[in-house]
Amino acid sequence: MERTEFLHKVGVNQLIAAFDLIPDILFWVKDTDSRILHGNQHFIEHQGFRSLDQILFKTDFDFSPKHLAFQYVNDDKRVMQGYVVTDRLELNYTDRGELGWFSTSKHVLKDEQGKIIGTYGVTRHLQKTSKALSHVKAIEAPVEYIRSHFHRHIGIEELAELAHLSVSALERRFKKHLAKTPNQYINEVRLENARKLLVETQLPVSQVAYQCGFAEPSYFSKQFKRLFGDVPSKLRETIEG
């Protein structure tokens, strides 16, 4: 039997059902409007539901905090434009509402003619994977410090001291585990928190910038657009519209 014939006989449903055999994996499939078409049982329960029918054709806005939903949907759009997310380390909420380390991969989904029809992805909770978590431990202290003190100036030297490393060793570990420098990570944490304030409050954009550690609103807007694809004022218009 040829490979193509075999795959057709097996069927997509049987193949994706294999993700239910892996308890620490969240797997999902979305259409081009970021609506859920499939999720394994762990993904469904992570959202607080029991069956696929309860989340079918819903988007992240139906079960995630608004600022996080914007992040997920924006990721979907970028993936469909050619951006590939592979083993990205990120802090996110567990199904118990606690912050934990996750590794996420997302890819575009195409039909047999090559037309983009959606996205699919997997997320793994690293707390259940001791080897992966041991790697993250190497930068856990400076990462937690950044997330707690992003609103003020943070020197690389103080982060290195927290991690009991030299500055060069700290930078190497950030590059290895997060694929970015400490300064890049600080900037992204500030921008993530700025987006949350833009979504959840009516604070002026300039005030959001200052509260998140940016001295110049113009620089803040430039960095925000680079990471999220729109300037802060445009995001506000989308929310209010």
Side-chain angles (χ1 to χ4, degrees), residues 149-189:
H149 299 85
F150 64 87
H151 54 280
R152 69 167 184 80
H153 172 74
I154 300 175
I156 305 302
E157 293 78 9
E158 63 180 313
L159 293 177
E161 188 175 342
L162 274 171
H164 306 291
L165 297 169
S166 66
V167 169
S168 59
L170 177 74
E171 290 178 336
R172 283 196 299 273
R173 293 200 184 189
F174 264 74
K175 275 287 189 180
K176 178 180 179 180
H177 300 300
L178 292 177
K180 61 196 68 173
T181 67
N183 278 329
Q184 287 172 330
Y185 185 74
I186 292 169
N187 199 52
E188 289 189 10
V189 169

Side-chain angles (χ1 to χ4, degrees), residues 86-90 101-105 122-126:
T86 303
D87 283 334
R88 181 177 65 195
L89 282 174
E90 54 193 12
W101 282 102
F102 291 82
S103 174
T104 297
S105 297
V122 293
T123 292
R124 182 167 46 120
H125 187 190
L126 297 186

